[in-house]
Amino acid sequence: MKRWTMLSITTLALSGLVACGGSPSGDSSTAAPEADVAAAPAASVVDPEFEQLKSVTPVDACAWLPAEKLAAVYPDLVFELVQKVEPRISGYVWDSRCTYNAGVGTIEFAKDAPTHTVEIFVATPVSAAKALANLASRRELAATTMNFQPQPSLGEQAYSTSETGVGTIYFVKGGSEVQINVSELQSPSAEKIQKAITLAQSL
């Protein structure tokens, strides 16, 4: 009799724990789906801008500025392609880059360094309006630097900056934001900027 009583008490206690867990007493078939729901990952959030970017046709920087176009600005130099970055998604833009070097060994402390470098960076967002907004944001920050200059010949919000040995222009072409760097240690900044503008106008 005592053994039956202890068994009954144990059975009742186990039934109570199952009931507290939210499933009917003794029925484990309904507990499994609840566990599956708890373990399932949260639904992924769709980013409309990123999805739209996937359908945008990216720009190849090297195709926009091939070595042949450099020859028109630098007729006495032969440029070599040293870096080509195929279009790839980086953040909310398609990013593409191209770097050319020419001339070596004319500077005593940098005998292996090129005398001339031209770089082009192309960032293509979801729309031309977005590219212009991105450029305007960069321009606002650049306007506080000493060598900032607007470059209206290249369009709205276009501008240039310069530092020792390098002249850089920023502008929008089509739906892409473009940056061109011209590096020449021995020429004035104004000359480097003008060469960069000429290259930009050839795109």
Side-chain angles (χ1 to χ4, degrees):
M1 183 67 177
K2 288 182 180 180
R3 181 178 300 175
W4 182 90
T5 303
M6 291 299 295
L7 181 61
S8 299
I9 292 172
T10 302
T11 302
L12 290 173
L14 289 173
S15 297
L17 287 174
V18 172
C20 289
S23 61
S25 60
D27 185 359
S28 62
S29 63
T30 57
E34 289 182 6
D36 290 342
V37 170
S44 59
V45 178
V46 176
D47 187 326
E49 183 177 347
F50 187 74
E51 292 303 311
Q52 184 181 351
L53 182 65
K54 293 178 182 178
S55 66
V56 171
T57 301
V59 172
D60 184 330
C62 291
W64 262 14
L65 187 61
E68 291 76 13
K69 290 187 177 181
L70 301 183
V73 179
Y74 300 91
D76 299 326
L77 293 172
V78 176
F79 279 86
E80 177 186 358
L81 176 64
V82 294
Q83 183 187 45
K84 175 180 173 63
V85 177
E86 300 285 354
R88 60 187 181 183
I89 290 181
S90 177
Y92 285 88
V93 298
W94 285 95
D95 172 43
S96 181
R97 309 175 186 188
C98 200
T99 302
Y100 299 94
N101 287 345
V104 175
T106 62
I107 302 172
E108 184 61 31
F109 61 85
K111 291 184 177 181
D112 296 329
T115 58
H116 296 72
T117 298
V118 175
E119 299 174 287
I120 179 171
F121 304 83
V122 182
T124 307
V126 294
S127 67
K130 186 72 173 180
L132 198 58
N134 290 344
L135 180 62
S137 178
R138 295 182 198 276
R139 177 186 168 122
E140 184 177 353
L141 182 61
T144 63
T145 63
M146 183 173 61
N147 295 319
F148 167 86
Q149 285 188 328
Q151 296 293 343
S153 66
L154 294 178
E156 186 182 355
Q157 304 294 345
Y159 67 95
S160 66
T161 62
S162 60
E163 54 186 282
T164 303
V166 182
T168 304
I169 58 171
Y170 304 83
F171 60 101
V172 167
K173 175 179 173 59
S176 300
E177 188 182 0
V178 185
Q179 173 184 337
I180 296 178
N181 300 339
V182 169
S183 175
E184 304 171 20
L185 290 179
Q186 297 180 350
S187 65
S189 293
E191 183 179 328
K192 288 190 281 286
I193 295 297
Q194 186 53 55
K195 287 179 178 178
I197 291 174
T198 301
L199 290 172
Q201 292 171 336
S202 74
L203 300 183

